[in-house]
Amino acid sequence: MKTKLIRINPENPEPLLVEEAARILKEGGLVAFPTETVYGLGGNGLDSEACKNIYIAKGRPSDNPLILHISQISELRPIVREIPLAAQKLMDAFWPGPLTMIFPKSQIVPLTTTGGLDTVAVRFPSHPVAKAIIRATGLPIAGPSANSSGKPSPTRASHVEFDLSGKIDMIVDGGAAEWGLESTIVDVTGEVPVILRPGAITKEMMESVVGEVMIDPAILTKPSDDLKPKAPGMKYTHYSPKAKVTLVKGNTEAVISKINELCVDERVQGKKTGVMATEKTKGCYHADVILSLGDRDKLEEIGANLFKLLRKFDYLGVDTVFSEVFPEEGEGLAIMNRLNKAAGYYRVEAEEAK
Ligand code: TXA
Ligand code: MG
């Protein structure tokens, strides 16, 4: 299959291009498009065949459900059985935007879309291109991240091209995704909303709207038989570059010397080393490739760059990457969740010098 690549204006998408993408989707084809979080791989969410083809293109296990994307609130009702009060409040506050909610699904949503579950994940994205394309189809659009299963989510059209070229009908290039990490997922089917995947909309932000919000305890620990994440996709630890990733924790000075020490050990074994640093520390490391995630005090910058950097280490053929860590609260929770997954939850403690 030849994948058509089109470039679109991210703020004011050209109507003719929007129509072209929408036509492919209505005919059952697959189109990758930008959203404010990461690029999504769109298909008709009510069409089992289209959804099957999404799983195939991504190489994704078919028990890992897809998110349905809508372009106005009125499109929610037909795909869910009920809209709990907490969901109503959260959507008033955060839609359109990087928040996905889990609802009991209605009859019209095929089990192929939901990976066999009786619930459905729904998101109303704010990106003008995503909104325009979905609106033009008149359909809920299934949209997992547009990467090969197991790879970091794509934040650029070039990432999608690298993973999926030849496997999907079209890639709509609308520039870099603003947030760079996937949406927050919150389950609103129970008494208290539960965060299944942390993202840009934080626990604190949601609590200011609905009161108590819980976090799935599986978010920061390695999935095990006792502690299985409730979002099926979160159980996959490998989410990562080909390089082995190790997180190094401790105060700044200790982390720098520990990473430099570890790099020496690896280089002796002939390994190409990489360090995921921040603006202030990037000059302090000795490794083959040193990349900065951005300003440590601007977590949104760190989040926006994380997946791009993980992919870059791969392009550069790095064997082993050492990364600094961030506080596991607020926006940092989403960053650390993705970093932990990239590292297969492997981290070492840097000891303070005596
Ligand atoms: O930001 C995002 O959410 C991006 C953009 C494209 O919208 N999409 C995305 O989709 O990240 P995906 O498929 O890569 O991740 C969806 C996650 C998976 O971990 C999946 O298991 C979980 O959502 N999920 C989907 N439906 C669910 C359901 N009914 N119950 C629990 N978890 C669900
Ligand atoms: Mg994904």
Side-chain angles (χ1 to χ4, degrees):
M1 179 190 296
K2 182 147 170 47
T3 302
K4 184 166 181 185
L5 183 66
I6 62 171
R7 190 160 291 166
I8 203 162
N9 182 322
E11 272 115 46
N12 287 303
E14 297 82 348
L16 277 178
L17 299 180
V18 169
E19 275 308 322
E20 196 182 342
R23 185 165 33 83
I24 296 174
L25 289 166
K26 284 192 282 191
E27 287 168 0
L30 304 186
V31 176
F33 56 80
T35 83
E36 71 279 20
T37 56
V38 299
Y39 272 71
L41 175 56
N44 178 353
L46 301 182
D47 174 356
S48 280
E49 275 312 304
C51 291
K52 264 185 212 152
N53 289 333
I54 290 180
Y55 289 108
I56 293 170
K58 280 179 61 78
R60 174 172 176 139
S62 59
D63 69 343
N64 189 1
L66 308 174
I67 297 175
L68 287 185
H69 293 68
I70 58 174
S71 65
Q72 47 192 338
I73 301 268
S74 61
E75 291 163 5
L76 176 65
R77 196 66 250 191
I79 53 179
V80 302
R81 274 206 308 281
E82 61 163 300
I83 301 175
L85 185 61
Q88 188 63 56
K89 290 183 181 166
L90 290 170
M91 76 177 83
D92 289 345
F94 302 113
W95 274 4
L99 178 68
T100 297
M101 286 191 265
I102 309 287
F103 295 90
K105 82 169 192 71
S106 76
Q107 281 287 339
I108 65 166
V109 179
L111 288 169
T112 324
T113 310
T114 65
L117 298 176
D118 190 38
T119 52
V120 63
V122 185
R123 177 159 110 80
F124 177 177
S126 63
H127 196 293
V129 173
K131 274 199 300 199
I133 293 176
I134 299 163
R135 180 76 63 96
T137 63
L139 294 164
I141 296 297
S145 48
N147 51 291
S148 296
S149 191
K151 285 272 170 57
S153 292
T155 58
R156 305 275 186 291
S158 60
H159 301 163
V160 182
E161 220 185 330
F162 188 84
D163 282 11
L164 300 180
S165 189
K167 297 180 177 172
I168 63 177
D169 298 285
M170 180 182 265
I171 299 171
V172 180
D173 182 351
E178 184 192 347
W179 287 104
L181 297 179
E182 309 87 344
S183 62
T184 303
I185 301 180
V186 61
D187 184 348
V188 287
T189 60
E191 222 147 83
V192 178
V194 183
I195 297 175
L196 308 187
R197 179 175 74 182
I201 306 295
T202 62
K203 175 177 183 321
E204 295 74 18
M205 288 161 77
M206 287 191 272
E207 281 181 334
S208 71
V209 176
V210 289
E212 191 190 4
V213 171
M214 293 191 311
I215 298 185
D216 184 352
I219 277 177
L220 279 172
T221 38
K222 191 170 180 162
S224 65
D225 286 343
D226 306 337
L227 208 60
K228 279 210 185 80
K230 292 197 185 63
M234 298 288 282
K235 69 175 175 272
Y236 303 103
T237 54
H238 219 74
Y239 196 57
S240 54
K242 281 191 224 101
K244 177 174 165 235
V245 179
T246 302
L247 310 186
V248 184
K249 198 177 166 219
N251 76 29
T252 310
E253 258 172 58
V255 166
I256 291 169
S257 51
K258 183 73 184 176
I259 288 183
N260 282 333
E261 215 176 274
L262 290 165
C263 280
V264 171
D265 295 348
E266 294 290 328
R267 285 167 113 180
V268 166
Q269 295 173 45
K271 296 276 173 19
K272 186 164 179 178
T273 54
V275 177
M276 199 135 64
T278 44
E279 276 310 290
K280 282 208 184 110
T281 59
K282 67 183 180 193
C284 307
Y285 292 107
H286 309 289
D288 298 304
V289 179
I290 299 155
L291 301 175
S292 168
L293 281 164
D295 182 342
R296 171 170 284 282
D297 297 327
K298 295 189 189 136
L299 287 180
E300 69 284 357
E301 200 174 303
I302 308 282
N305 286 324
L306 179 61
F307 289 148
K308 182 179 73 176
L309 258 56
L310 286 174
R311 282 179 176 261
K312 196 155 177 191
F313 284 115
D314 264 3
Y315 297 147
L316 297 173
V318 170
D319 300 302
T320 177
V321 174
F322 298 101
S323 178
E324 298 179 8
V325 301
F326 301 89
E328 290 174 350
E329 59 208 9
E331 286 172 322
L333 185 65
I335 294 168
M336 285 313 297
N337 169 256
R338 307 317 191 271
L339 260 178
N340 269 306
K341 280 168 153 269
Y345 296 84
Y346 185 60
R347 65 162 76 183
V348 298
E349 299 278 335
E351 277 167 41
E352 268 174 67
K354 298 269 152 46

